[in-house]
């Protein structure tokens, strides 16, 4: 079966750095997405990786290793507004998106 | 501003009742999707549509129905056959489905459906 694993919840301190991991086992791979979702709101697109390596976009970076079936989202200079759930999704060989359950990130002052 | 509008934000269903969730987009996107989000689970695809008057079942289509009479609109009906309808329902759209790998989804703000 297809599976995406993320930690259920993480806690970090304002101003610090946090890394949210995502591991996947899917039938084929056609890219990995990270979305941010505040409680009761729409998920919004953060990043896309299809090749190995690091993609940097401001305070957020995303890394991919296809050989290890592994990605992480790195958030720097954490702000209170970064408190949200972070969803990892993989596009499989049929171009369907497989979603992880999301990681709830709690930021403390 | 372009976007996706879902309504209502909250909806209550009585036993044996069908309810319809609205989804409208003005992004001129071809593809539209309905997802169900339950606590502790990833998003699960209910139905999707790539063009007007055509749609396909997703992973959990039983107990749901959709229509795509206009490009902008993709309403979801939760029928009485859906025995566990309580969930957060998300509508999404994208430029085109399946032919490119980096197309991202744009989501509406969701409808929370609860059973009375």
């Amino acid at each position: 079966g297809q599976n995406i694993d993320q930690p259920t919840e993480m806690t970090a301190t304002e101003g610090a750095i946090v890394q949210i991991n995502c591991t996947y086992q899917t039938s084929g791979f056609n890219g990995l997405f990270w979305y941010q979702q505040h409680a009761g709101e729409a998920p919004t697109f953060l990043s896309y990786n299809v090749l190995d390596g690091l993609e940097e976009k401001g305070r957020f970076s995303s890394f991919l290793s296809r050989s290890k079936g592994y990605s992480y989202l790195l958030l720097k200079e954490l702000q209170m507004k970064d408190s949200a759930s972070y969803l990892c999704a993989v596009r499989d060989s049929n171009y369907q998106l497989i979603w992880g359950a999301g990681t709830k990130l709690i930021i403390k002052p | 501003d372009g976007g996706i509008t879902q309504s209502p934000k909250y909806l209550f269903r009585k036993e044996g009742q069908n309810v319809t969730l609205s989804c409208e987009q003005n992004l001129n996107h071809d593809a539209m999707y309905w997802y169900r989000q339950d606590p502790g689970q990833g998003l699960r695809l209910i139905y999707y549509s790539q063009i007007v008057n055509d749609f396909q079942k997703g992973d959990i289509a039983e107990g749901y129905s959709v229509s795509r009479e206009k490009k902008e609109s993709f309403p979801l009906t939760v029928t009485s056959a859906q025995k566990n309808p309580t969930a957060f329902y998300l509508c999404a759209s994208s430029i085109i489905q399946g032919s490119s790998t980096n197309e991202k989804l744009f989501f509406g703000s969701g409808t929370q459906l609860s059973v009375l």
Side-chain angles (χ1 to χ4, degrees):
Chain A
Q2 307 201 88
N3 192 52
I4 296 185
D5 289 316
Q6 305 179 235
T8 301
E9 185 174 298
M10 299 181 70
T11 302
T13 304
E14 189 177 15
I17 299 173
V18 70
Q19 177 175 311
I20 302 174
N21 296 326
C22 171
T23 58
Y24 62 89
Q25 300 93 37
T26 57
S27 55
F29 178 84
N30 280 302
L32 184 145
F33 296 81
W34 284 96
Y35 283 79
Q36 180 191 61
Q37 184 181 24
H38 287 97
E41 296 184 11
T44 55
F45 171 80
L46 288 178
S47 69
Y48 169 77
N49 295 70
V50 67
L51 300 176
D52 290 352
L54 188 67
E55 294 281 343
E56 296 187 80
K57 192 184 294 185
R59 294 190 298 115
F60 292 7
S61 303
S62 56
F63 171 83
L64 174 68
S65 169
R66 288 173 296 171
S67 63
K68 295 182 179 178
Y70 167 70
S71 172
Y72 68 72
L73 181 69
L74 191 71
L75 291 75
K76 303 176 184 176
E77 301 170 14
L78 285 170
Q79 301 175 11
M80 298 303 293
K81 67 179 182 179
D82 296 329
S83 291
S85 289
Y86 291 86
L87 313 180
C88 175
V90 171
R91 194 178 296 281
D92 68 11
S93 56
N94 294 319
Y95 292 92
Q96 298 303 309
L97 279 173
I98 313 302
W99 295 83
T103 298
K104 182 179 181 180
L105 178 63
I106 300 169
I107 309 297
K108 295 186 175 180
Chain B
D1 286 338
I4 301 180
T5 302
Q6 287 188 243
S7 63
K9 181 66 176 175
Y10 301 96
L11 186 60
F12 297 89
R13 194 190 86 168
K14 295 179 181 178
E15 193 75 29
Q17 185 181 42
N18 294 350
V19 293
T20 297
L21 285 61
S22 171
C23 178
E24 304 277 335
Q25 56 101 356
N26 60 3
L27 299 167
N28 198 32
H29 284 172
D30 294 303
M32 296 187 75
Y33 313 80
W34 275 104
Y35 284 96
R36 172 176 171 144
Q37 187 173 36
D38 293 278
Q41 297 188 42
L43 298 183
R44 291 184 290 169
L45 183 64
I46 304 172
Y47 270 98
Y48 66 97
S49 168
Q50 299 181 59
I51 57 173
V52 173
N53 292 322
D54 187 48
F55 46 83
Q56 286 77 42
K57 293 181 179 179
D59 300 318
I60 56 165
E62 185 173 351
Y64 301 96
S65 66
V66 293
S67 63
R68 187 90 185 273
E69 297 177 0
K70 299 186 300 182
K71 186 176 183 178
E72 303 78 18
S73 179
F74 192 41
L76 173 74
T77 296
V78 184
T79 75
S80 58
Q82 173 49 246
K83 298 306 180 186
N84 184 24
T86 297
F88 190 57
Y89 290 85
L90 286 163
C91 180
S93 69
S94 66
I95 293 175
I96 191 166
Q97 195 269 349
S99 64
S100 62
T101 62
N102 66 345
E103 70 205 38
K104 59 187 180 185
L105 296 181
F106 293 79
F107 286 88
S109 56
T111 294
Q112 176 64 50
L113 176 62
S114 303
V115 177
L116 287 176

